[in-house]
């Protein structure tokens, strides 16, 4: 089955700096890659996603890049703010049953 | 439009007891999922359903059963709870076909608020 690895597990950045989280996946048939943000005690919420027919997608301060050849994708947060502090999860899906396989998560701390 | 709701929010069980977690969605989603989340770990898929009356095993199905008798509801059952099942359980749902497409494929999964279960 699919295996998704996520790095780093923790990330501390100064407010205003950029944060980058990287994920690799094992199944070349995966075609959908969402990113979820989870605040403490809350549910995961989708912040951005990308499909395999696109190499990059941007939404304000958040961007995701996908390298299908290398089987990895990354989340980029620019101009970080304290409210960006949360745990971020990447995931991958082959489409079968729309099942998602999640990475282990990255705890991001933005220091004011 | 409540989205995805879960009942109960918290529960404490003794080893060997049984319980059922209820997930309900009002978005007319075809697909529904049950995940567990353990401290410091990502979400792991327990069971899922691609339509009313259908269920399938996920990554960690042992010790759990599910049923989807109605499209809007997905039940997760623990027949004989064990301490290893202490976790936060999340339900999610999604459309079978992404918006703007006519081809079935992965789409956004919307999560419920979670149920925190402790088994003593």
């Amino acid at each position: 089955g699919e295996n998704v690895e996520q790095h780093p597990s923790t990330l501390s950045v100064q407010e205003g700096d950029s944060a980058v989280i990287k994920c690799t996946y094992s199944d070349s048939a995966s075609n959908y890659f969402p990113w979820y943000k989870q605040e403490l005690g809350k549910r995961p919420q989708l912040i951005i996603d990308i499909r395999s027919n696109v190499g990059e997608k941007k939404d304000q301060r958040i961007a995701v890049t996908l390298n299908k050849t290398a089987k990895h994708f990354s989340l980029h947060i620019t101009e970080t703010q304290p409210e960006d502090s949360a745990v971020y999860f990447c995931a991958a899906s082959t489409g079968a049953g729309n099942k998602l396989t999640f990475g282990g998560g990255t705890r991001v701390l933005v220091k004011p | 439009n409540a989205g995805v709701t879960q009942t109960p929010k918290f529960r404490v069980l003794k080893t060997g007891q049984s319980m059922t977690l209820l997930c309900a969605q009002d978005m007319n989603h075809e697909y529904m999922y049950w995940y567990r989340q353990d401290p410091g770990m990502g979400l792991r898929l327990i069971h899922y359903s691609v339509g009313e009356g259908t269920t399938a095993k996920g990554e960690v199905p042992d010790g759990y059963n599910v049923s989807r008798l109605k499209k809007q509801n997905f039940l997760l059952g623990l027949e004989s709870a064990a301490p290893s099942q202490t976790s936060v359980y999340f339900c999610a749902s999604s459309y079978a076909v992404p918006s703007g497409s006519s081809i079935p494929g992965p789409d956004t999964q919307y999560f419920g608020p979670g149920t925190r279960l402790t088994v003593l």
Side-chain angles (χ1 to χ4, degrees), chain B residues 8 10-14 17 19 116-120:
Chain B
F10 304 94
R11 186 73 185 268
V12 178
L13 290 179
K14 294 182 180 179
Q17 288 184 318
M19 77 163 295
R116 186 174 295 275
L117 175 66
T118 301
V119 183
L120 303 175

Side-chain angles (χ1 to χ4, degrees), chain A residues 17-29:
Chain A
D17 288 350
S18 295
V20 181
I21 304 170
K22 298 181 179 180
C23 289
T24 60
Y25 61 99
S26 61
D27 192 337
S28 57

